[in-house]
Amino acid sequence: MQNRPAIRTAGALAGLALMGALAGCSTTAADTDSQSSGAAAGGSAAATTSPSSESSASTESTDTGSADGAYTDGSYTATGSYQSPGGQESVEVTLTIADDTVTAVEVVGDTDNANSTRYQSEFIGGISDVVVGVPVDELQVDKVAGSSLTSGGFNEALETIKADAAA
Amino acid sequence: MPRPEHRWTFEAIGTHWTLESDTAFSDDVRTDVLDVCERFDAAWSRFRADSVVSGLGRDGGEATMPAESSRLAALYRDLERVTQGAMTPLVGVPLSRLGYDAGYRLHPDGPPVAAARWDDALHWQGRALRLARGEILDIGAAGKGELVDQVTDVLLSAGHRRFCVDGSGDLRVVGHREQPLRIALAKPGDAGLAVGVAELAYGALCASATDRRRWSEGLHHVLDGRTGTPVTEVQASWVVAESAMIADAMATALFLSPAAPLRELAEFEYVRLFVNGQAETSAGFPGKVLA
């Protein structure tokens, strides 16, 4: 299941034909190899194992021609549209690229069709790059939600076992 | 509008609760909340020898459960079907095998065992619960959320209109439309770091992660019922839904299933963090991941 995020990301982008639009926005076009590696790094390393990723990669190669092998760092926004049962729908996708790696994907749906909103959110659920984390005390928050604090009994038992193991 | 001024903390069902409200917590409300918690624990806890479910499993038998049984049974049956048996309330036996038993043995007493099949070991419909001898019913994936909802109902009935119920990270927020609560999504293994922030004006946010109830390398409390082994691909999830029962259950289900079939069962938004460090965020999640 490691490759599920990659499949979903690549599938969503390929389905909306956005990679081509993205390449068009890029001031420094890339060759197929670096573009694939960029997509793989952003989506995850599974791109070459996923049929849907491969099909999206081949789409990219037809839209790019330069061979200097690098993207210009920055954010790229493209709007894709598609036909849904409720009419024409569109989504806006913003990719942030740094060092030939997609570091962020933001997708904003533009639809007031409830069904479409639902299905869009299904298949454009964004995959982020590796999350490093931000110190909580730098955020203005009221509460913290993580895994449930565990029961006293569990924690006591764990401490006992650790103590026994150390003895 | 400032934060609610009244705050009450207590221990129930083995964990820490914090209630905050604009309305003071009267003695009656405190008694009612603690009663609700005690009744829930006495019916459902697999960690109490004197609970109804413990008694049913020990000898095999049938009982009429409290009203929440109908909700829980329907939800678990749906999730069991959609996850093809990966998520099941019969996970108690496999969990106990790995060491997460009522006595907190915390070491395996044999190789993993799969959960019994629902139709072989369990009849659970409405308030009727029948359990085969030797089975351990574990509703841990949705139970705390359900109780958060019940505590919320107690406060609503008592006239509280702006409050937050926090059952150790499983939250219900009421009446914060003007100033949503900002909630950090704590990074597993390092509660000082946040992987994101959610903003909640009304509804529930529940989290699940494999870092806390972890007692040894590779052993934690989220199991695939079909194999009885801990899951390895997802490390944390956060779910926003209307009820805490749904949010709690889906937070666990996201360890065991793609999101799409789960969202056929109930509306929710989510973030989940894979073990490779990438986060998946549904488009409507009220907040953001800080990558």
Side-chain angles (χ1 to χ4, degrees):
Chain A
M1 200 175 106
Q2 287 276 8
N3 56 3
R4 178 166 292 134
I7 291 170
R8 293 193 54 171
T9 304
L13 294 173
L16 295 166
L18 285 162
M19 287 308 287
L22 169 72
C25 296
S26 171
T27 51
T28 311
D31 66 29
T32 306
D33 286 341
S34 74
Q35 191 154 25
S36 295
S37 72
S44 99
T48 56
T49 64
S50 150
S52 64
S53 293
E54 280 169 9
S55 70
S56 96
S58 67
T59 304
E60 295 156 24
S61 68
T62 62
D63 291 322
T64 58
S66 159
D68 62 359
Y71 288 117
T72 303
D73 289 355
S75 290
Y76 299 87
T77 298
T79 302
S81 61
Y82 59 96
Q83 192 67 34
S84 85
Q88 190 80 1
E89 311 282 1
S90 69
V91 292
E92 184 181 275
V93 179
T94 302
L95 299 192
T96 304
I97 294 178
D99 295 335
D100 282 338
T101 298
V102 178
T103 57
V105 181
E106 187 183 2
V107 185
V108 179
D110 174 28
T111 172
D112 48 19
N113 177 315
N115 259 337
S116 293
T117 304
R118 175 119 183 261
Y119 290 123
Q120 274 188 355
S121 66
E122 278 302 338
F123 85 124
I124 62 180
I127 303 289
S128 78
D129 196 10
V130 170
V131 178
V132 178
V134 173
V136 172
D137 53 18
E138 290 178 11
L139 301 166
Q140 299 275 324
V141 294
D142 302 304
K143 290 202 161 286
V144 175
S147 58
S148 301
L149 293 169
T150 32
S151 69
F154 182 95
N155 293 334
E156 283 164 24
L158 196 56
E159 289 310 310
T160 303
I161 285 169
K162 283 181 182 167
D164 289 350
Chain B
M1 200 155 59
R3 297 287 310 284
E5 56 183 309
H6 300 282
R7 182 185 172 92
W8 173 36
T9 64
F10 59 91
E11 300 287 322
I13 64 163
T15 194
H16 190 71
W17 294 68
T18 302
L19 274 48
E20 292 172 287
S21 176
D22 278 354
T23 308
F25 296 98
S26 68
D27 288 346
D28 283 352
V29 160
R30 290 174 194 240
T31 301
D32 289 349
V33 165
L34 294 175
D35 279 355
V36 159
C37 294
E38 169 57 24
R39 272 190 276 127
F40 191 86
D41 206 41
W44 299 105
S45 175
R46 76 175 174 93
F47 295 98
R48 281 174 59 158
D50 66 343
S51 73
V52 176
V53 295
S54 292
L56 291 183
R58 201 158 37 239
D59 305 318
E62 183 165 355
T64 301
M65 302 301 289
E68 67 268 16
S69 176
S70 302
R71 286 190 291 277
L72 290 165
L75 176 62
Y76 264 107
R77 185 84 242 210
D78 280 346
L79 287 167
E80 194 263 353
R81 173 176 52 80
V82 160
T83 65
Q84 296 166 322
M87 184 162 171
T88 166
L90 294 170
V91 76
V93 165
L95 274 171
S96 296
R97 166 60 64 92
L98 295 185
Y100 195 21
D101 63 328
Y104 301 113
R105 192 179 66 248
L106 302 186
H107 59 83
D109 66 355
V113 327
R117 295 170 64 90
W118 185 302
D119 290 333
D120 295 341
L122 177 64
H123 173 84
W124 189 16
Q125 198 158 35
R127 296 179 64 172
L129 172 65
R130 188 169 70 234
L131 201 54
R133 181 182 183 137
E135 284 303 328
I136 302 169
L137 193 81
D138 183 308
I139 60 156
K144 183 144 70 73
E146 164 61 25
L147 189 52
V148 166
D149 289 336
Q150 290 188 23
V151 170
T152 298
D153 288 343
V154 170
L155 295 184
L156 284 171
S157 298
H160 290 240
R161 288 296 174 261
R162 181 170 178 264
F163 60 88
C164 174
V165 175
D166 180 353
S168 282
D170 289 344
L171 305 169
R172 254 304 275 277
V173 172
V174 173
H176 281 70
R177 288 211 188 280
E178 290 175 29
Q179 186 188 26
L181 278 191
R182 280 174 56 84
I183 303 156
L185 311 181
K187 186 174 187 182
D190 189 346
L193 290 179
V195 304
V197 177
E199 294 202 338
L200 205 58
Y202 193 92
L205 187 153
C206 294
S208 188
T210 56
D211 62 319
R212 286 264 174 76
R213 273 169 284 183
R214 175 180 287 271
W215 52 96
S216 123
E217 185 63 34
L219 295 183
H220 58 76
H221 74 291
V222 183
L223 305 189
D224 186 323
R226 297 167 298 191
T227 60
T229 55
V231 298
T232 56
E233 290 129 4
V234 177
Q235 57 170 320
S237 61
W238 295 266
V239 174
V240 170
E242 193 168 313
S243 80
M245 180 190 75
I246 294 292
D248 194 9
M250 294 303 174
T252 296
L254 283 168
F255 283 78
L256 298 160
S257 167
L262 302 175
R263 298 176 97 194
E264 297 293 318
L265 300 177
E267 287 186 21
F268 65 90
E269 301 292 340
Y270 69 96
V271 172
R272 66 174 161 181
L273 189 64
F274 294 92
V275 292
N276 69 3
Q278 291 184 300
E280 178 185 50
T281 311
S282 67
F285 188 79
K288 61 183 175 184
V289 168
L290 305 163

